[in-house]
Amino acid sequence: MKFLIKSATIVDPNSSFNGQVKDILIDNGQITQIDDQIDAKDAQLYDATGQFVSPGWMDMHVNIGDPGYETKEDIASGCAAAAAGGFTAIAVMPNTNPPLHSKSEIEYLKNRSKGQAVNVYPIGCLSAKREGVDIAELFDMTQSGAVAFSDGNKPVQNAGLMMRSLQYALAFNGLVISYPEDASIAEKAKVNEGVTATYLGMKGIPNMAEELMVARDIFLTEYTGGKIHFTTISAAGSVDLIRAARKKGLKVTADVAAHHLMLDETVLTGFDSNYKVKPPLRTLTDIKALKAGLKDGTIDTVVSQHTPHEIEFKDQEFETAAFGISALETSFALFNMSCEKVLSLEEMVDALAVSPREILGLAVPSIELNRAAELTVFDPDHQWTLNTENIKSKSKNTPFIGKQLKGKALAIVNNGQVVLN
């Protein structure tokens, strides 16, 4: 199949065509021509005038229910939601049943995702059964296709386990992903500790619960010589700690969830459980620090932290509702709206397409002749409204239904397939 993208502005820091308005011809999954004017009568035509094309975006923190929780999200619906959000690749957390803690589960997920327009990369468990006691079969999972190791939304409380995991993964250049939270401090609190928590009459989670674990894992990384990635950081102090670690030359990277850039704790005053996330929404001071971290490179990439739930998990009192937002389809809009005056378009594409793959050791797609076509077409000025009937995910647990959003991925091209939004 031939696909012709007309008059798109190329945004690709690794391309010789960066910043230029070009036609791009794709034939059988390959970029066969890039020119000012291309005529291909037998090609499917897409007019991208006023739009941008970049290397396909990657989200390195996605929760998919398969295996075990397919009623929340299965591979097909998760990939459809990812494509609608502009992602050509996703790395999925091991929060499944059974968890992705051996090569069998990794190979199952790889096989289940074959033929999709979105590439699916499994993140294996750091500990067996995600129990936080014994190291999982890290090397075997790497051989089967795991790109990193994490216990997902279960923070590793055992410092010895984290240390030994970093040491073991070092032998094969493996990446450990830390979800930083000291559970003994966070306990069963549901919101950020501060004025809003007091107003709501709820116990809060202090920034320190996150910052202590960031500090601990930085010390362990320095001691072992390993490499670590902090996912969904939310606190200003965490940004400072990671910035200092990077200045020391430690192998430390980090991401932030798009909703933590857009929303602060005050949106919780209406007790809408769709805003209930973990780590909790913080303050405007924290948001300012997160944006500064993105700008200076302390934070490498932005993730959706896509966490789909059936309606019964969210349609209940705030205190008992589950954490998480179904976020793949709105992640770019939130990132764009919150950071359009902070980051250039090229910096945003670097955070969406280049940095996550570099962190995971994956090949970075580029818009060049004779390269595989893995592209995202998008418009940062596109105004749109999220409607329930248009959501591709199985789950609708998002506070943005009916809200006006700015910035949308309009098409992806990958694996010889085209998905138009």
Side-chain angles (χ1 to χ4, degrees), residues 129-179:
K129 300 180 182 178
R130 295 175 66 223
E131 291 176 347
V133 179
D134 299 311
I135 298 176
E137 302 170 0
L138 307 189
F139 182 69
D140 278 357
M141 287 191 284
T142 297
Q143 297 292 90
S144 295
V147 293
F149 305 98
S150 170
D151 276 352
N153 60 2
K154 284 189 176 180
V156 177
Q157 302 301 304
N158 187 323
L161 172 65
M162 179 61 81
M163 180 189 73
R164 289 185 289 274
S165 299
L166 286 163
Q167 288 173 323
Y168 181 37
L170 187 60
F172 51 90
N173 199 33
L175 176 69
V176 172
I177 297 178
S178 171
Y179 168 62

Side-chain angles (χ1 to χ4, degrees), residues 191-392:
V191 298
N192 180 56
E193 182 182 82
V195 174
T196 298
T198 303
Y199 175 78
L200 297 175
M202 294 184 184
K203 186 178 180 181
I205 303 173
N207 286 19
M208 182 175 61
E210 176 177 300
E211 294 159 0
L212 274 178
M213 291 296 269
V214 169
R216 184 202 75 174
D217 289 348
I218 287 172
F219 275 119
L220 293 176
T221 301
E222 184 172 20
Y223 175 78
T224 61
K227 60 180 181 178
I228 198 162
H229 177 81
F230 292 104
T231 189
T232 62
I233 64 166
S234 63
S238 299
V239 180
D240 293 337
L241 289 164
I242 293 166
R243 183 180 289 116
R246 294 181 73 133
K247 285 181 179 177
K248 291 176 71 173
L250 302 183
K251 299 171 186 174
V252 176
T253 53
D255 68 54
V256 59
H259 47 263
H260 282 118
L261 296 169
M262 184 73 185
L263 305 170
D264 73 282
E265 61 181 2
T266 59
V267 300
L268 301 178
T269 54
F271 291 99
D272 183 348
S273 63
N274 283 316
Y275 286 111
K276 184 180 178 182
V277 293
K278 205 172 188 184
L281 300 176
R282 304 283 188 186
T283 66
L284 293 174
T285 300
D286 293 299
I287 291 175
K288 183 179 178 180
L290 293 168
K291 290 178 181 179
L294 272 170
K295 184 64 179 177
D296 69 16
T298 299
I299 301 173
D300 302 85
T301 183
V302 175
V303 298
S304 68
Q305 199 188 18
H306 178 70
T307 308
H309 288 297
E310 303 92 333
I311 189 171
E312 60 266 27
F313 283 83
K314 280 291 191 177
D315 190 15
Q316 52 183 281
E317 291 184 1
F318 189 94
E319 281 276 359
T320 56
F323 292 100
I325 294 175
S326 179
L328 275 166
E329 295 166 68
T330 55
S331 180
F332 172 65
L334 301 191
F335 180 26
N336 179 59
M337 290 189 294
S338 60
C339 291
E340 62 180 339
K341 295 180 180 178
V342 178
L343 302 177
S344 68
L345 212 53
E346 190 171 307
E347 288 171 326
M348 293 179 73
V349 166
D350 185 83
L352 288 168
V354 179
S355 290
R357 291 182 173 91
E358 289 179 341
I359 291 167
L360 295 171
L362 301 172
V364 179
S366 187
I367 302 174
E368 294 285 1
L369 287 172
N370 302 317
R371 293 286 295 270
E374 186 172 351
L375 311 173
T376 299
V377 181
F378 67 101
D379 181 357
D381 295 320
H382 186 86
Q383 303 276 349
W384 62 289
T385 301
L386 181 69
N387 297 313
T388 304
E389 58 270 23
N390 296 331
I391 294 175
K392 302 296 183 184

Side-chain angles (χ1 to χ4, degrees), residues 36-52:
D36 293 335
Q37 185 69 33
I38 300 174
D39 292 316
K41 294 179 180 179
D42 56 342
Q44 180 184 349
L45 181 66
Y46 181 90
D47 184 0
T49 303
Q51 299 171 17
F52 299 85

